[in-house]
Amino acid sequence: MITSAPPSPRERLQPSYLSDGTTLGSWLFTRDHKRIALLYLFSITTFFLVGGTAAILMRLELLSPTPYLVTSETYNRLFTLHGVIMVWFFLIPAIPNVFGNFLLPLMIGARDLAFPRLNLASWYIFMAGAALVLYSILEGGADTGWTFYTPYSSTYSNGYVVAMASGIFIAGFSTIITGLNFIVTIHTMRAPGLRWFRLPLFVWSLYSTSIIMVLATPVLAITLLLICLERLGGIPIFNPNFGGDPLLFQHLFWFYSHPAVYIMILPGMGVVSEIVTCFSRRRIFGYTFVAYSSLAIAFLGFLVWGHHMFVSGQSIYSGMIFSLLSFLVSIPSAVKVFNWTATFYQGRIRFDTPLLYILGFIGLFTIGGLTGLVLASLALDIHLHDTYFVIAHFHYIMVGGMVMAYFAALHFWWPKITGKIYPEWPARIAAVTIFIGFNLTFFPQFLLGYMGMPRRYPYYPPEFHFLNVCSTCGAAVLGLGYLLPALYLTYSLFFGPKASDNPWRATGLEWQTTSPPPTRNFLEIPVVTREAYDYDYIDSPLLADKEAHDD
Amino acid sequence: MNWLPFPPEASSYSGRVDTIFFSLLALCFVVALGVFGLILFFCVRYREGSSAPRSAKRPHSAPIEVTWMVIPMIIFLVVFVFAGKEYAYMYSPPSTGTEIDVVGKQWMWKMLHADGQREIDQLHIPINQDIIITLTSEDVIHSFYIPAFRIKHDAVPGSYSRFWFRAVKAGTYHIFCAQYCGMNHSQMIGEVVAMAPNDYAKWEEQGHPASDMVQSGETLFHQVGCSGCHAPTATIHAPLLEGLYGKPVALQDGTIVTADRQYLRDSILLPNKQIAAGFAPVMPTYQGQLTEEQVNELVAYIISMRNAQTPVEQRNTAP
C-alpha cells in the first residue's frame, strides 16, 4: 500500500542528503550519519557475498560424503572464513551500523550522532580490520574456525591466525566507538518531549546493544591479543605443557561471544517491534516489558557463557548454574515473542513485504529459541554439543532471525533511505523464497545433529548423505532468494517511483521529514507530545480531516 | 537407503536421554503451535478490511505479562532438573568399573586397556559392564563422542576427564571427534565394538599383552629414574608414593588437595605447580620425556600402590 507522491514543497528548500555533494570525496569524508550508514551498507553487502560464497562452496562439498571438490584443508579455511566474515563483518555491524546509524538521529529528532567524526572514523577502522582479514584470506586464510580455540590456534595451526585475529581486533574498536556514540546520543540528543518511555523500541534495542558492545568487545580484544602474544612471543598462556590453561581461552572467548550473539539479534528484535506495530496499526502490546526485556537480555547475556562448555570439563556445578541461567535468559526473548503476537490482536493487518519478513522472523526465531532450550538442557547438550543441531539452532537465530529482520528493515526504510519505492510483488516473492530456502537448508541439519553428525566435517559417514543433499538443495534456493532483492532494489533505485515522506503512515519521527531526508535531517527539530506507536491517533478520521485542511 | 539414520539406543542411559529429548520436543511443539496458531488466526481475522470487531479499549497488560513470564519459568525449572540430574549421572563415574584410558591425538584415538592391550581407533568393550574412561589429549582439544551411547566429552590436553557408560546392546558404533582439531578432524573417526561377555573374553585372549598397565608403569618407574628419589630406600627427601592415591596432600602454600589422577599427572609433568609441604622443589619435569601413554602407565602404577603401607621406619632412617 505504498503511495507515490510528487516532490514535496519542503524539498526545494534543502537538498536531500543524497544530492548534497556528488564527488567521491563528499562520500569518503562525509560526517553525515546517513551517508556513513550507506558506506557501511555497501561494505557489509560485499562481505555478505564473500561469506555466502564460502557457504555455498561448503554446501557443494557436502553433496558427497567423500572428497570431490575441496580438500580438508581448504574446507577448514572456508568455514573459518565464513564464520569470521559473517559474524564480525556482517551480522554485528549489519543492523547497528547500517540502520542504527541511519535511523537513530532521525528517530530521536536529532541532526546527527553525538560524535560525527568518530562515526566516520569507526567506518575507516572497520575497513582497516576488514582489509587485514581479507589479506589473511588471500594469503591462504586461517583454519582455526571463527572460535579460535586454543591450543590449536595458539600453537598448532599454520594458517594466518595473527593477521586474521588482528583484523578482528581492529574491527572491534569500530564496534566500541559505535556503541559509545549511540549511548551518548540517546542520552543527550533526544528531541524535546521525547522521554525515555516515548522512545521507539528500536532505540531501546540499540541502547541495550550498545551497552554490550562497549562492555564485551574489550574482552574479545584482550583474548585475541593473548593469542597473538602466544603465537608471536611464545608466552604460553594457553599451552598446558608449560602450565597454561587451554580452557581459559574458552571462558574469555565466550564471555564476549555469547553477549555478541545478542549484539546480533537485539537490533533485529527492535526492527520487529517497529514493523509489527506499523503493519497491524496497533500500539505495541506491553511497551515497557518489551523495552525492559532488551535490557534484561543485555544483562543476563553476560552470565551464560559457560553453556558453551558443558562438555569441556568444567565442574558439574558450573554446568548446573550456567544451564539454569541459560533457561532464564530465554524468558525476556519469550516475552518479546508473546508481546508481538498480542500486538496483532484486533489490529488491521497489512501484508506488505516488511511484515512478511517479520512473520518469517517470529517463526524462525521461535524455533531457534526453543531449540536453544534443548541445548540448555544439560544431558541433551552432552549428545548435541558440536553437532549439526547446534549449527541449525544458531542459524535459525542468526539467519532466520537476524537476516530476516535485516531484510525487513531494508524494505521498510528503503523509501526513506533512497526516496524510491521498490516493486511490491517481486519483493514478496523474494521474502517467501528466502523463507522456504532457509527452512530447506537448515531444518535437515537439526535431524543430522540428533543423528550424531559432528560439525566441521567435510567428509562424513554415508548414512548422513540424504539429509546433506536436502540441505544443499535448500541452500541453492536460499542463495537465489538473496539475489532477488539485489536485482529489484537496484532496479527501483533507477526506475522506481518516488516515495512520499511517510508511505507506510508510520508514527516514528523519521517519517516526518522528507524522503530522502535533508542533510540536517529536519527543517525544524520536532517536538514530541505523544507516546511511540500511537496508531489510533494517526489513523483517526479526525487527523485525516486536519491534514486535508492543512494542505 | 535409510534416510533418517536414528542412532541406536545402545547405552544404559541413551533411552533416558531420548525420553527427555522427545518430551521437551513435544513441549516445544505445543508452544510453537500455540504461538504460530495465534499469529495465523490474528492475521486472518484481523487482516485489513475484515469485519472483525475491534474495541477501542486496550487490555491491561501487566497481569498477562507476569503470567507468560512465570509459567515458562516453572516449566523451565522442571526441564532443568530432569536434564541436570541426568547430566550429573552421566559425568559421575561409579566407584568401580572397567578402567580404560583414552588419549586423543591428531588424528587418532589411542585406547589403553588396564590389561595392557592397546588399540587405535577401535575400542572393544563388554556389554553390561560399567566402563570408566579417563580421557586426555596429547596435542589439541578433541572430543570423544559416541552418538549411540549419547555420550561426549572433550579431551583437553593437560588434564584428565572422567566419564562412564554401560553398553547394553552388542554392536559396532561410531566414535567421532566432535571438537575441531585441525586438518583431518573429519577422519578422526573410530568405532566402539560392544561385545557379549564371552565374545569379549575371546577377544581379550587373543591380545596376549606382555605386561599390564601397572607392570609397565612399574618398569617405567625404575627406568626413567622415579625410583631414584621416590623409592622407600632412596636417600633423597622426596614424598613417598605408597598409599598416596586418593589421600589429602598438604601443599607448601597451605592448601590441601586430593591426590587424584590429575594431581599425579601434574606432579610428573609440572612438578612446580603444587609443592607438597615440607619438600624442596627439586623434582625435574618429565615434560617432553614421557609420552601421554607412559604418563598413564605411571599413574596406573602409583594408583596400584594405594593400599600399600607407607614404610615409615625406612624413611625415618634416611638422613
Side-chain angles (χ1 to χ4, degrees):
Chain A
M1 230 220 32
I2 301 185
T3 48
S4 62
S8 73
R10 277 182 290 168
E11 199 165 318
R12 287 176 214 114
L13 300 173
Q14 265 197 358
S16 86
Y17 78 102
L18 287 172
S19 48
D20 190 8
T22 49
T23 59
L24 190 63
S26 75
W27 282 89
L28 291 181
F29 302 112
T30 182
R31 272 168 276 152
D32 182 350
H33 65 101
K34 301 182 287 302
R35 286 194 165 204
I36 296 169
L38 291 194
L39 291 177
Y40 269 113
L41 178 66
F42 291 126
S43 328
I44 67 163
T45 306
T46 312
F47 299 140
F48 184 70
L49 273 175
V50 174
T53 308
I56 291 287
L57 286 173
M58 283 190 281
R59 286 289 1 143
L60 284 176
E61 171 57 50
L62 292 169
L63 271 177
S64 156
T66 48
Y68 87 104
L69 186 66
V70 294
T71 60
S72 300
E73 234 175 328
T74 310
Y75 186 88
N76 298 341
R77 281 160 163 74
L78 283 174
F79 70 65
T80 305
L81 186 168
H82 173 72
V84 167
I85 293 282
M86 286 303 201
V87 168
W88 283 295
F89 297 94
F90 178 72
L91 287 169
I92 286 182
I95 289 187
N97 286 321
V98 176
F99 295 105
N101 247 330
F102 194 95
L103 292 167
L104 178 58
L106 287 167
M107 280 184 160
I108 65 171
R111 297 210 184 272
D112 207 319
L113 287 174
F115 308 113
R117 283 185 187 83
L118 213 50
N119 196 21
L120 180 64
S122 89
W123 182 72
Y124 278 102
I125 294 170
F126 175 74
M127 292 309 279
L132 204 50
V133 167
L134 289 178
Y135 158 80
S136 77
I137 290 168
L138 291 177
E139 284 289 312
D143 63 342
T144 57
W146 77 280
T147 45
F148 292 100
Y149 268 21
T150 55
Y152 185 71
S153 65
S154 52
T155 309
Y156 290 84
S157 167
N158 54 12
Y160 289 79
V161 178
V162 171
M164 195 170 270
S166 312
I168 298 164
F169 175 83
I170 291 170
F173 286 95
S174 142
T175 310
I176 297 171
I177 292 174
T178 301
L180 199 70
N181 215 341
F182 285 2
I183 291 175
V184 175
T185 306
I186 296 169
H187 270 278
T188 61
M189 297 178 69
R190 302 190 311 278
L194 189 53
R195 297 197 293 261
W196 281 88
F197 286 92
R198 283 178 179 171
L199 283 174
L201 288 164
F202 182 64
V203 176
W204 273 103
S205 75
L206 280 180
Y207 186 73
S208 311
T209 308
S210 304
I211 292 174
I212 308 177
M213 286 172 157
V214 170
L215 294 182
T217 316
V219 180
L220 174 74
I222 293 164
T223 316
L224 294 173
L225 205 60
L226 289 177
I227 286 194
C228 295
L229 278 180
E230 177 151 358
R231 277 188 82 91
L232 297 176
I235 303 167
I237 300 153
F238 304 117
N239 187 344
N241 293 348
F242 300 93
D245 183 0
L247 292 184
L248 172 67
F249 173 84
Q250 294 181 25
H251 282 290
L252 291 170
F253 181 81
W254 291 114
F255 186 82
Y256 159 79
S257 285
H258 198 80
V261 169
Y262 297 110
I263 296 181
M264 302 178 218
I265 194 70
L266 268 171
M269 292 168 154
V271 171
V272 178
S273 298
E274 296 299 316
I275 292 177
V276 162
T277 52
C278 178
F279 289 88
S280 50
R281 318 301 302 166
R282 289 283 285 187
R283 170 188 292 139
I284 189 107
F285 191 86
Y287 173 95
T288 38
F289 285 87
V290 179
Y292 276 127
S293 67
S294 291
L295 287 176
I297 288 173
F299 173 70
L300 287 172
F302 277 102
L303 306 177
V304 297
W305 79 90
H307 70 210
H308 297 268
M309 301 170 63
F310 286 155
V311 304
S312 72
Q314 70 181 359
S315 78
I316 288 173
Y317 301 104
S318 317
M320 296 273 179
I321 288 165
F322 282 121
S323 166
L324 192 62
L325 287 165
S326 304
F327 279 111
L328 271 188
V329 78
S330 67
I331 300 271
S333 299
V335 164
K336 282 182 190 281
V337 171
F338 295 148
N339 278 296
W340 295 327
T341 306
T343 304
F344 288 120
Y345 176 67
Q346 293 199 340
R348 291 182 168 75
I349 305 167
R350 288 192 325 228
F351 299 95
D352 296 292
T353 309
L355 188 71
L356 294 188
Y357 277 111
I358 290 308
L359 289 174
F361 174 105
I362 298 176
L364 301 178
F365 176 76
T366 303
I367 295 173
L370 289 170
T371 50
L373 297 176
V374 172
L375 291 167
S377 306
L378 286 161
L380 302 181
D381 188 68
I382 291 184
H383 177 49
L384 295 171
H385 193 82
D386 276 330
T387 67
Y388 264 84
F389 196 92
V390 176
I391 306 286
H393 156 70
F394 73 73
H395 280 87
Y396 264 77
I397 305 277
M398 301 284 87
V399 185
M402 168 57 207
V403 179
M404 287 298 226
Y406 177 76
F407 274 97
L410 195 60
H411 287 83
F412 185 58
W413 283 293
W414 187 256
K416 184 55 66 184
I417 295 171
T418 64
K420 294 297 173 67
I421 287 167
Y422 65 81
E424 187 63 31
W425 272 102
R428 285 181 181 167
I429 291 168
V432 174
T433 310
I434 290 175
F435 183 78
I436 294 172
F438 174 84
N439 281 296
L440 270 178
T441 310
F442 291 103
F443 193 79
Q445 298 186 4
F446 279 127
L447 304 177
L448 277 172
Y450 207 80
M451 307 305 135
M453 178 165 166
R455 63 192 293 195
R456 297 172 169 174
Y457 267 33
Y459 322 128
Y460 51 85
E463 65 260 34
F464 301 132
H465 193 187
F466 175 79
L467 288 168
N468 269 299
V469 172
C470 290
S471 182
T472 300
C473 293
V477 177
L478 186 59
L480 182 74
Y482 285 146
L483 284 182
L484 287 176
L487 298 178
Y488 64 75
L489 288 179
T490 312
Y491 169 87
S492 82
L493 268 186
F494 298 101
F495 309 107
K498 243 192 111 358
S500 66
D501 290 353
N502 190 357
W504 310 111
R505 293 183 58 75
T507 51
L509 291 182
E510 76 270 28
W511 300 106
Q512 293 187 15
T513 184
T514 49
S515 295
T519 305
R520 301 290 287 157
N521 289 352
F522 300 95
L523 288 180
E524 284 167 48
I525 293 296
V527 176
V528 180
T529 54
R530 310 188 156 271
E531 60 178 297
Y533 315 119
D534 198 351
Y535 279 97
D536 291 340
Y537 173 75
I538 207 169
D539 285 344
S540 68
L542 225 71
L543 185 69
D545 284 351
K546 189 169 161 283
E547 275 177 357
H549 278 291
D550 286 354
D551 287 347
Chain B
M1 183 180 137
N2 182 8
W3 64 274
L4 204 66
F6 193 80
E9 295 182 335
S11 78
S12 57
Y13 43 60
S14 49
R16 280 203 301 280
V17 171
D18 286 352
T19 306
I20 298 174
F21 177 70
F22 286 111
S23 316
L24 187 53
L25 209 60
L27 188 74
C28 293
F29 198 71
V30 171
V31 174
L33 218 61
V35 172
F36 300 161
L38 263 181
I39 291 179
L40 196 69
F41 173 72
F42 290 159
C43 280
V44 173
R45 184 168 163 83
Y46 297 113
R47 68 192 182 276
E48 187 182 37
S50 80
S51 59
R54 279 94 163 166
S55 81
K57 230 183 108 206
R58 301 288 188 247
H60 194 53
S61 68
I64 305 175
E65 301 279 353
V66 172
T67 312
W68 65 39
M69 278 193 272
V70 170
I71 293 180
M73 202 110 77
I74 294 168
I75 297 174
F76 290 169
L77 268 178
V78 175
V79 178
F80 162 75
V81 167
F82 275 97
K85 247 179 82 179
E86 196 60 31
Y87 174 80
Y89 179 74
M90 293 159 84
Y91 274 176
S92 311
S95 51
T96 56
T98 308
E99 295 273 355
I100 298 175
D101 292 353
V102 175
V103 178
K105 166 190 171 24
Q106 285 178 327
W107 291 277
M108 64 177 78
W109 294 107
K110 297 188 280 194
M111 327 287 184
L112 285 70
H113 294 262
D115 70 355
Q117 293 230 45
R118 300 277 183 94
E119 299 183 82
I120 286 181
D121 288 344
Q122 272 213 328
L123 177 62
H124 287 79
I125 53 162
I127 59 169
N128 297 328
Q129 270 185 39
D130 293 344
I131 310 289
I132 304 173
I133 303 281
T134 302
L135 182 66
T136 189
S137 159
E138 66 173 63
D139 38 45
V140 301
I141 298 178
H142 303 278
S143 192
F144 188 82
Y145 177 32
I146 305 174
F149 294 173
R150 312 287 186 272
I151 191 73
K152 176 187 294 129
H153 203 295
D154 282 3
V156 181
S159 68
Y160 286 139
S161 310
R162 280 167 62 79
F163 59 93
W164 74 285
F165 48 78
R166 187 195 308 146
V168 292
K169 225 183 258 176
T172 304
Y173 313 107
H174 289 299
I175 300 170
F176 291 132
C177 176
Q179 183 61 266
Y180 174 68
C181 58
M183 190 168 74
N184 290 328
H185 166 56
S186 71
Q187 267 100 85
M188 196 166 159
I189 297 184
E191 55 186 24
V192 55
V193 185
M195 309 166 96
N198 42 354
D199 291 339
Y200 180 74
K202 261 183 242 157
W203 175 84
E204 232 179 353
E205 277 306 297
Q206 292 166 1
H208 287 307
S211 58
D212 64 19
M213 286 272 285
V214 172
Q215 289 162 341
S216 309
E218 187 174 6
T219 313
L220 209 55
F221 191 78
H222 296 289
Q223 221 169 49
V224 298
C226 312
S227 57
C229 303
H230 291 285
T233 50
T235 51
I236 292 169
H237 183 58
L240 286 174
L241 306 179
E242 283 83 356
L244 172 67
Y245 179 74
K247 300 275 159 39
V249 178
L251 299 183
Q252 199 91 31
D253 61 7
T255 54
I256 292 177
V257 296
T258 304
D260 55 5
R261 285 177 171 74
Q262 186 68 45
Y263 173 80
L264 299 180
R265 179 203 159 83
D266 285 346
S267 301
I268 297 169
L269 298 176
L270 300 166
N272 289 330
K273 188 174 162 189
Q274 293 167 315
I275 308 288
F279 292 94
V282 293
M283 171 153 166
T285 173
Y286 279 85
Q287 190 77 57
Q289 299 174 42
L290 298 172
T291 63
E292 275 301 333
E293 295 93 311
Q294 287 176 322
V295 178
N296 276 311
E297 287 166 350
L298 282 174
V299 169
Y301 172 61
I302 298 170
I303 292 174
S304 76
M305 297 191 286
R306 78 183 110 183
N307 295 324
Q309 289 298 314
T310 314
V312 182
E313 67 290 348
Q314 292 187 33
R315 168 60 72 209
N316 289 344
T317 57

